[in-house]
Amino acid sequence: MNWVTQWWLPEQAGVWNWQYLQDEEMERLHYASAAEIDPEKRGELLKQLQTVVDESYTCFMLGHLPRPVLYDKTKVVPAMLPNAEPRTEKFKKA
């Protein structure tokens, strides 16, 4: 998620940060999550970061809405991109 949140950092105010959002907690969480290599700890930091962004009321996420994909693993071996977009042409029989 850090590639998404980098644009809201204080140094981006007036450049990409058109909301002029300058939140110290968001900046701290951005850099802490970028440096964390443990996936579970990083995920928790990113959840906290998302909460700070949501509570700022300066923007809301549109690009990463949930994309549920259902399949019967006894019949299908799915193929997906990292963002969970299904690649149906690469599905195979189980």
Side-chain angles (χ1 to χ4, degrees):
M1 180 158 171
N2 294 89
W3 64 272
V4 173
T5 58
Q6 69 183 337
W7 313 112
W8 295 326
L9 296 174
E11 63 262 19
Q12 292 294 328
V15 182
W16 291 102
N17 181 356
W18 55 269
Q19 309 93 327
Y20 286 84
L21 175 61
Q22 298 194 24
D23 188 297
E24 291 178 12
E25 180 66 1
M26 194 191 99
E27 184 176 22
R28 183 190 72 74
L29 289 166
H30 170 84
Y31 287 114
S33 63
E36 183 57 62
I37 59 173
D38 180 287
E40 289 188 25
K41 291 179 183 176
R42 182 164 194 233
E44 189 55 44
L45 289 167
L46 290 172
K47 286 178 189 176
Q48 293 172 31
L49 178 54
Q50 181 67 53
T51 299
V52 172
V53 171
D54 290 345
E55 290 175 354
S56 75
Y57 298 105
T58 57
C59 51
F60 55 93
M61 296 291 178
L62 291 176
H64 302 288
L65 299 172
R67 294 190 63 168
V69 177
L70 304 174
Y71 62 91
D72 183 343
K73 67 181 179 180
T74 64
K75 298 179 181 177
V76 177
V77 177
M80 296 180 211
L81 294 172
N83 67 349
E85 183 178 338
R87 298 287 309 269
T88 54
E89 75 278 7
K90 295 190 179 229
F91 278 27
K92 298 177 183 174
K93 289 185 179 182

